[in-house]
mmCIF file of all heavy atoms in Angstrom:
data_model
loop_
_atom_site.group_PDB
_atom_site.id
_atom_site.type_symbol
_atom_site.label_atom_id
_atom_site.label_comp_id
_atom_site.label_asym_id
_atom_site.label_seq_id
_atom_site.Cartn_x
_atom_site.Cartn_y
_atom_site.Cartn_z
ATOM 1 N N GLU A 1 57.791 -83.645 -15.494
ATOM 2 C CA GLU A 1 57.544 -82.601 -14.534
ATOM 3 C C GLU A 1 56.916 -81.399 -15.205
ATOM 4 O O GLU A 1 57.090 -81.209 -16.412
ATOM 5 C CB GLU A 1 58.852 -82.179 -13.775
ATOM 6 C CG GLU A 1 59.791 -81.357 -14.533
ATOM 7 C CD GLU A 1 61.070 -81.035 -13.779
ATOM 8 O OE1 GLU A 1 61.512 -81.769 -12.896
ATOM 9 O OE2 GLU A 1 61.661 -79.970 -14.112
ATOM 10 N N ILE A 2 56.210 -80.628 -14.413
ATOM 11 C CA ILE A 2 55.643 -79.359 -14.899
ATOM 12 C C ILE A 2 56.046 -78.275 -13.929
ATOM 13 O O ILE A 2 56.024 -78.508 -12.722
ATOM 14 C CB ILE A 2 54.114 -79.471 -15.104
ATOM 15 C CG1 ILE A 2 53.590 -78.213 -15.805
ATOM 16 C CG2 ILE A 2 53.386 -79.705 -13.782
ATOM 17 C CD1 ILE A 2 52.216 -78.371 -16.397
ATOM 18 N N LYS A 3 56.456 -77.157 -14.465
ATOM 19 C CA LYS A 3 56.918 -76.079 -13.591
ATOM 20 C C LYS A 3 56.507 -74.713 -14.163
ATOM 21 O O LYS A 3 56.282 -74.552 -15.364
ATOM 22 C CB LYS A 3 58.434 -76.137 -13.343
ATOM 23 C CG LYS A 3 59.256 -75.964 -14.571
ATOM 24 C CD LYS A 3 60.726 -76.143 -14.245
ATOM 25 C CE LYS A 3 61.563 -76.139 -15.524
ATOM 26 N NZ LYS A 3 62.935 -76.357 -15.273
ATOM 27 N N ILE A 4 56.447 -73.760 -13.272
ATOM 28 C CA ILE A 4 56.181 -72.346 -13.656
ATOM 29 C C ILE A 4 57.498 -71.615 -13.506
ATOM 30 O O ILE A 4 58.201 -71.752 -12.509
ATOM 31 C CB ILE A 4 55.105 -71.739 -12.708
ATOM 32 C CG1 ILE A 4 53.779 -72.465 -12.941
ATOM 33 C CG2 ILE A 4 54.986 -70.275 -12.962
ATOM 34 C CD1 ILE A 4 52.730 -72.090 -11.968
ATOM 35 N N SER A 5 57.842 -70.876 -14.525
ATOM 36 C CA SER A 5 59.077 -70.121 -14.553
ATOM 37 C C SER A 5 58.783 -68.688 -14.873
ATOM 38 O O SER A 5 58.259 -68.364 -15.930
ATOM 39 C CB SER A 5 59.995 -70.742 -15.646
ATOM 40 O OG SER A 5 61.214 -70.025 -15.736
ATOM 41 N N ASN A 6 59.098 -67.786 -13.932
ATOM 42 C CA ASN A 6 58.781 -66.383 -14.091
ATOM 43 C C ASN A 6 60.030 -65.508 -13.995
ATOM 44 O O ASN A 6 60.835 -65.702 -13.080
ATOM 45 C CB ASN A 6 57.790 -65.889 -13.004
ATOM 46 C CG ASN A 6 56.405 -66.403 -13.286
ATOM 47 O OD1 ASN A 6 55.990 -66.615 -14.381
ATOM 48 N ND2 ASN A 6 55.664 -66.604 -12.186
ATOM 49 N N GLY A 7 60.193 -64.617 -14.941
ATOM 50 C CA GLY A 7 61.288 -63.689 -14.904
ATOM 51 C C GLY A 7 60.922 -62.464 -14.037
ATOM 52 O O GLY A 7 59.772 -62.031 -14.029
ATOM 53 N N LEU A 8 61.901 -61.924 -13.336
ATOM 54 C CA LEU A 8 61.652 -60.773 -12.461
ATOM 55 C C LEU A 8 62.073 -59.450 -13.089
ATOM 56 O O LEU A 8 61.666 -58.410 -12.650
ATOM 57 C CB LEU A 8 62.372 -60.969 -11.141
ATOM 58 C CG LEU A 8 61.940 -62.179 -10.315
ATOM 59 C CD1 LEU A 8 62.840 -62.340 -9.111
ATOM 60 C CD2 LEU A 8 60.465 -62.021 -9.917
ATOM 61 N N LYS A 9 62.895 -59.503 -14.121
ATOM 62 C CA LYS A 9 63.460 -58.277 -14.718
ATOM 63 C C LYS A 9 62.628 -57.834 -15.884
ATOM 64 O O LYS A 9 61.965 -58.622 -16.574
ATOM 65 C CB LYS A 9 64.872 -58.610 -15.212
ATOM 66 C CG LYS A 9 65.584 -57.445 -15.770
ATOM 67 C CD LYS A 9 67.010 -57.848 -16.230
ATOM 68 C CE LYS A 9 67.635 -56.625 -16.889
ATOM 69 N NZ LYS A 9 68.755 -57.000 -17.713
ATOM 70 N N ASN A 10 62.588 -56.536 -16.121
ATOM 71 C CA ASN A 10 61.947 -55.951 -17.302
ATOM 72 C C ASN A 10 62.903 -56.198 -18.499
ATOM 73 O O ASN A 10 63.972 -55.639 -18.555
ATOM 74 C CB ASN A 10 61.676 -54.476 -17.112
ATOM 75 C CG ASN A 10 61.031 -53.835 -18.322
ATOM 76 O OD1 ASN A 10 60.604 -54.502 -19.260
ATOM 77 N ND2 ASN A 10 60.983 -52.526 -18.325
ATOM 78 N N ILE A 11 62.520 -57.073 -19.425
ATOM 79 C CA ILE A 11 63.402 -57.393 -20.525
ATOM 80 C C ILE A 11 63.126 -56.523 -21.763
ATOM 81 O O ILE A 11 63.767 -56.698 -22.808
ATOM 82 C CB ILE A 11 63.334 -58.893 -20.876
ATOM 83 C CG1 ILE A 11 61.926 -59.331 -21.253
ATOM 84 C CG2 ILE A 11 63.892 -59.724 -19.787
ATOM 85 C CD1 ILE A 11 61.812 -60.726 -21.761
ATOM 86 N N HIS A 12 62.213 -55.600 -21.645
ATOM 87 C CA HIS A 12 61.889 -54.724 -22.781
ATOM 88 C C HIS A 12 62.933 -53.601 -22.869
ATOM 89 O O HIS A 12 63.208 -52.897 -21.870
ATOM 90 C CB HIS A 12 60.501 -54.099 -22.593
ATOM 91 C CG HIS A 12 60.089 -53.212 -23.742
ATOM 92 N ND1 HIS A 12 59.664 -51.948 -23.512
ATOM 93 C CD2 HIS A 12 60.068 -53.389 -25.031
ATOM 94 C CE1 HIS A 12 59.352 -51.355 -24.672
ATOM 95 N NE2 HIS A 12 59.603 -52.257 -25.627
ATOM 96 N N SER A 13 63.527 -53.448 -24.011
ATOM 97 C CA SER A 13 64.490 -52.347 -24.248
ATOM 98 C C SER A 13 63.727 -51.259 -25.007
ATOM 99 O O SER A 13 63.623 -51.292 -26.213
ATOM 100 C CB SER A 13 65.669 -52.859 -25.063
ATOM 101 O OG SER A 13 66.593 -51.849 -25.240
ATOM 102 N N ARG A 14 63.140 -50.349 -24.282
ATOM 103 C CA ARG A 14 62.235 -49.353 -24.801
ATOM 104 C C ARG A 14 62.952 -48.379 -25.755
ATOM 105 O O ARG A 14 64.026 -47.881 -25.422
ATOM 106 C CB ARG A 14 61.574 -48.597 -23.680
ATOM 107 C CG ARG A 14 60.366 -47.840 -24.133
ATOM 108 C CD ARG A 14 59.465 -47.566 -22.955
ATOM 109 N NE ARG A 14 58.259 -46.906 -23.399
ATOM 110 C CZ ARG A 14 58.152 -45.588 -23.484
ATOM 111 N NH1 ARG A 14 59.108 -44.789 -23.091
ATOM 112 N NH2 ARG A 14 57.035 -45.052 -23.930
ATOM 113 N N ASP A 15 62.323 -48.106 -26.895
ATOM 114 C CA ASP A 15 62.846 -47.151 -27.856
ATOM 115 C C ASP A 15 61.702 -46.239 -28.257
ATOM 116 O O ASP A 15 60.713 -46.689 -28.876
ATOM 117 C CB ASP A 15 63.428 -47.870 -29.088
ATOM 118 C CG ASP A 15 64.162 -46.971 -30.009
ATOM 119 O OD1 ASP A 15 63.929 -45.770 -30.028
ATOM 120 O OD2 ASP A 15 65.036 -47.489 -30.760
ATOM 121 N N GLU A 16 61.788 -44.969 -27.949
ATOM 122 C CA GLU A 16 60.742 -43.986 -28.247
ATOM 123 C C GLU A 16 60.464 -43.855 -29.737
ATOM 124 O O GLU A 16 59.382 -43.463 -30.112
ATOM 125 C CB GLU A 16 61.125 -42.620 -27.685
ATOM 126 C CG GLU A 16 61.240 -42.551 -26.182
ATOM 127 C CD GLU A 16 59.865 -42.578 -25.491
ATOM 128 O OE1 GLU A 16 58.865 -42.210 -26.145
ATOM 129 O OE2 GLU A 16 59.833 -42.996 -24.351
ATOM 130 N N ASN A 17 61.411 -44.184 -30.585
ATOM 131 C CA ASN A 17 61.269 -43.987 -32.024
ATOM 132 C C ASN A 17 60.592 -45.143 -32.762
ATOM 133 O O ASN A 17 60.310 -45.043 -33.928
ATOM 134 C CB ASN A 17 62.627 -43.751 -32.660
ATOM 135 C CG ASN A 17 63.297 -42.516 -32.045
ATOM 136 O OD1 ASN A 17 62.645 -41.506 -31.819
ATOM 137 N ND2 ASN A 17 64.578 -42.607 -31.773
ATOM 138 N N LEU A 18 60.323 -46.227 -32.047
ATOM 139 C CA LEU A 18 59.714 -47.392 -32.682
ATOM 140 C C LEU A 18 58.242 -47.469 -32.374
ATOM 141 O O LEU A 18 57.839 -47.481 -31.213
ATOM 142 C CB LEU A 18 60.414 -48.674 -32.217
ATOM 143 C CG LEU A 18 61.920 -48.749 -32.534
ATOM 144 C CD1 LEU A 18 62.507 -50.035 -32.011
ATOM 145 C CD2 LEU A 18 62.209 -48.602 -34.015
ATOM 146 N N LYS A 19 57.428 -47.549 -33.417
ATOM 147 C CA LYS A 19 55.971 -47.534 -33.297
ATOM 148 C C LYS A 19 55.448 -48.649 -32.386
ATOM 149 O O LYS A 19 54.564 -48.423 -31.556
ATOM 150 C CB LYS A 19 55.347 -47.636 -34.700
ATOM 151 C CG LYS A 19 53.860 -47.813 -34.706
ATOM 152 C CD LYS A 19 53.373 -48.003 -36.106
ATOM 153 C CE LYS A 19 51.875 -48.216 -36.159
ATOM 154 N NZ LYS A 19 51.396 -48.410 -37.503
ATOM 155 N N TYR A 20 55.984 -49.871 -32.538
ATOM 156 C CA TYR A 20 55.476 -51.007 -31.813
ATOM 157 C C TYR A 20 56.172 -51.169 -30.445
ATOM 158 O O TYR A 20 55.775 -52.004 -29.667
ATOM 159 C CB TYR A 20 55.580 -52.266 -32.640
ATOM 160 C CG TYR A 20 54.725 -52.239 -33.869
ATOM 161 C CD1 TYR A 20 55.253 -52.072 -35.136
ATOM 162 C CD2 TYR A 20 53.344 -52.280 -33.733
ATOM 163 C CE1 TYR A 20 54.444 -52.014 -36.236
ATOM 164 C CE2 TYR A 20 52.520 -52.212 -34.848
ATOM 165 C CZ TYR A 20 53.088 -52.081 -36.099
ATOM 166 O OH TYR A 20 52.253 -51.994 -37.187
ATOM 167 N N SER A 21 57.198 -50.434 -30.193
ATOM 168 C CA SER A 21 57.936 -50.542 -28.930
ATOM 169 C C SER A 21 57.581 -49.446 -27.953
ATOM 170 O O SER A 21 57.611 -49.639 -26.767
ATOM 171 C CB SER A 21 59.422 -50.554 -29.201
ATOM 172 O OG SER A 21 60.163 -50.686 -28.034
ATOM 173 N N ASN A 22 57.286 -48.235 -28.456
ATOM 174 C CA ASN A 22 57.111 -47.124 -27.566
ATOM 175 C C ASN A 22 55.840 -47.145 -26.742
ATOM 176 O O ASN A 22 55.670 -46.378 -25.812
ATOM 177 C CB ASN A 22 57.257 -45.779 -28.330
ATOM 178 C CG ASN A 22 56.128 -45.577 -29.316
ATOM 179 O OD1 ASN A 22 55.175 -46.333 -29.404
ATOM 180 N ND2 ASN A 22 56.258 -44.553 -30.127
ATOM 181 N N VAL A 23 54.882 -48.010 -27.042
ATOM 182 C CA VAL A 23 53.641 -48.087 -26.276
ATOM 183 C C VAL A 23 53.757 -49.071 -25.097
ATOM 184 O O VAL A 23 52.826 -49.161 -24.314
ATOM 185 C CB VAL A 23 52.446 -48.506 -27.162
ATOM 186 C CG1 VAL A 23 52.164 -47.389 -28.165
ATOM 187 C CG2 VAL A 23 52.669 -49.800 -27.808
ATOM 188 N N LEU A 24 54.853 -49.803 -25.028
ATOM 189 C CA LEU A 24 55.033 -50.773 -23.946
ATOM 190 C C LEU A 24 55.975 -50.233 -22.875
ATOM 191 O O LEU A 24 56.964 -49.578 -23.187
ATOM 192 C CB LEU A 24 55.622 -52.084 -24.507
ATOM 193 C CG LEU A 24 54.782 -52.779 -25.590
ATOM 194 C CD1 LEU A 24 55.549 -53.956 -26.134
ATOM 195 C CD2 LEU A 24 53.475 -53.231 -25.017
ATOM 196 N N ASP A 25 55.672 -50.543 -21.650
ATOM 197 C CA ASP A 25 56.563 -50.140 -20.547
ATOM 198 C C ASP A 25 57.383 -51.307 -20.039
ATOM 199 O O ASP A 25 58.559 -51.151 -19.754
ATOM 200 C CB ASP A 25 55.702 -49.583 -19.392
ATOM 201 C CG ASP A 25 56.504 -49.113 -18.233
ATOM 202 O OD1 ASP A 25 57.611 -48.558 -18.468
ATOM 203 O OD2 ASP A 25 56.059 -49.286 -17.071
ATOM 204 N N ARG A 26 56.782 -52.481 -19.938
ATOM 205 C CA ARG A 26 57.466 -53.630 -19.324
ATOM 206 C C ARG A 26 57.070 -54.921 -20.054
ATOM 207 O O ARG A 26 55.885 -55.124 -20.358
ATOM 208 C CB ARG A 26 57.098 -53.700 -17.874
ATOM 209 C CG ARG A 26 57.679 -54.851 -17.107
ATOM 210 C CD ARG A 26 57.296 -54.808 -15.642
ATOM 211 N NE ARG A 26 57.864 -55.943 -14.929
ATOM 212 C CZ ARG A 26 59.112 -55.933 -14.433
ATOM 213 N NH1 ARG A 26 59.828 -54.846 -14.508
ATOM 214 N NH2 ARG A 26 59.573 -56.980 -13.789
ATOM 215 N N ILE A 27 58.041 -55.773 -20.254
ATOM 216 C CA ILE A 27 57.787 -57.161 -20.738
ATOM 217 C C ILE A 27 58.556 -58.066 -19.756
ATOM 218 O O ILE A 27 59.731 -57.874 -19.513
ATOM 219 C CB ILE A 27 58.309 -57.358 -22.166
ATOM 220 C CG1 ILE A 27 57.509 -56.476 -23.125
ATOM 221 C CG2 ILE A 27 58.126 -58.817 -22.570
ATOM 222 C CD1 ILE A 27 58.036 -56.536 -24.570
ATOM 223 N N SER A 28 57.866 -59.047 -19.244
ATOM 224 C CA SER A 28 58.481 -60.051 -18.352
ATOM 225 C C SER A 28 58.262 -61.439 -18.952
ATOM 226 O O SER A 28 57.210 -61.661 -19.572
ATOM 227 C CB SER A 28 57.829 -60.011 -16.982
ATOM 228 O OG SER A 28 58.015 -58.768 -16.380
ATOM 229 N N SER A 29 59.210 -62.305 -18.743
ATOM 230 C CA SER A 29 59.053 -63.660 -19.238
ATOM 231 C C SER A 29 58.250 -64.487 -18.248
ATOM 232 O O SER A 29 58.507 -64.452 -17.035
ATOM 233 C CB SER A 29 60.397 -64.295 -19.510
ATOM 234 O OG SER A 29 61.162 -64.400 -18.352
#
């Protein structure tokens, strides 16, 4: 079987102090 699986929640835990994290607002699976 083949299926599409999409997450609805924002799984990004944003941290203003992290260079690679603070530029992102949302990550979804």
Side-chain angles (χ1 to χ4, degrees):
E1 75 182 27
I2 189 162
K3 63 184 173 183
I4 295 172
S5 178
N6 287 330
L8 298 174
K9 183 179 176 198
N10 180 10
I11 58 173
H12 182 233
S13 181
R14 194 157 185 270
D15 189 337
E16 295 287 335
N17 300 320
L18 301 179
K19 173 182 176 182
Y20 295 109
S21 182
N22 66 7
V23 294
L24 301 174
D25 181 36
R26 179 179 180 85
I27 297 176
S28 298
S29 62

